[in-house]
Amino acid sequence: MSRQLQQLLFLITIVLSIYVWTYGMTTLIEMTVQLCKTMYSAGHNFGTYLKDIFF
């Protein structure tokens, strides 16, 4: 693993740890779930849009 990637992962871990320590684990899980729902919804809408155009 490259040095930059290691540093980036370390930084992400620190930020997540601080977030969890401050706001609690449930908030982090809720945000992750919400993000996944949003991404899925956006992907689904985009897929439907493409389908309507090409098929």
Side-chain angles (χ1 to χ4, degrees):
M1 211 185 318
S2 72
R3 185 107 178 101
Q4 282 181 319
L5 188 60
Q6 261 181 327
Q7 286 175 337
L8 183 66
L9 287 173
F10 182 69
L11 190 67
I12 291 170
T13 309
I14 297 290
V15 169
L16 281 176
S17 302
I18 292 170
Y19 185 87
V20 168
W21 186 68
T22 310
Y23 297 105
M25 195 65 189
T26 34
T27 317
L28 184 68
I29 293 170
E30 282 172 16
M31 275 183 60
T32 309
V33 168
Q34 194 60 48
L35 183 69
C36 289
K37 280 184 187 172
T38 308
M39 296 295 274
Y40 174 79
S41 164
H44 182 72
N45 291 343
F46 186 63
T48 308
Y49 172 73
L50 288 179
K51 193 178 82 177
D52 290 345
I53 290 176
F54 294 112
F55 301 106

